[in-house]
Amino acid sequence: FFFSALSKYLSEITQDEEDTTHLEPVAAALVSLLKTKQTEIKLYLACCLADIIRVFAPEAPYDDSVLQAVSYTHLTLPTICSV
């Protein structure tokens, strides 16, 4: 399953990685899935987005509007509550 493998891969990347340019297309693709209705994908998406933000910190790869859509109240809490 693609999202499972991606989640595992992203969780293993350290924040010390200097070149994150290879992750920019992944970060952009993940945002395009924010409106998915599938609970399992939303769970993996939340994990992947958290790792993307962690790896890119302190500079988020998203603007404020995307970060708001990714926020705890819009993605994580409803996903966890529906499981």
Side-chain angles (χ1 to χ4, degrees):
F1 185 62
F2 172 76
F3 288 104
S4 174
L6 179 60
S7 179
K8 182 175 177 3
Y9 170 75
L10 291 173
S11 71
E12 293 172 352
I13 296 175
T14 65
Q15 199 170 1
D16 297 333
E17 186 154 336
E18 291 181 24
D19 183 18
T20 56
T21 55
H22 68 285
L23 295 175
E24 290 172 4
V26 175
L30 290 173
V31 169
S32 70
L33 298 170
L34 282 175
K35 295 187 187 272
T36 186
K37 301 282 187 216
Q38 296 178 345
T39 302
E40 187 175 358
I41 291 176
K42 286 174 80 171
L43 286 167
Y44 281 117
L45 185 58
C47 293
C48 290
L49 288 167
D51 281 320
I52 287 285
I53 292 168
R54 174 187 57 80
V55 170
F56 277 85
E59 299 297 322
Y62 307 117
D63 63 25
D64 289 344
S65 64
V66 173
L67 288 174
Q68 183 178 9
V70 173
S71 74
Y72 181 75
T73 55
H74 292 289
L75 181 63
T76 311
L77 187 59
T79 299
I80 292 170
C81 291
S82 67
V83 173

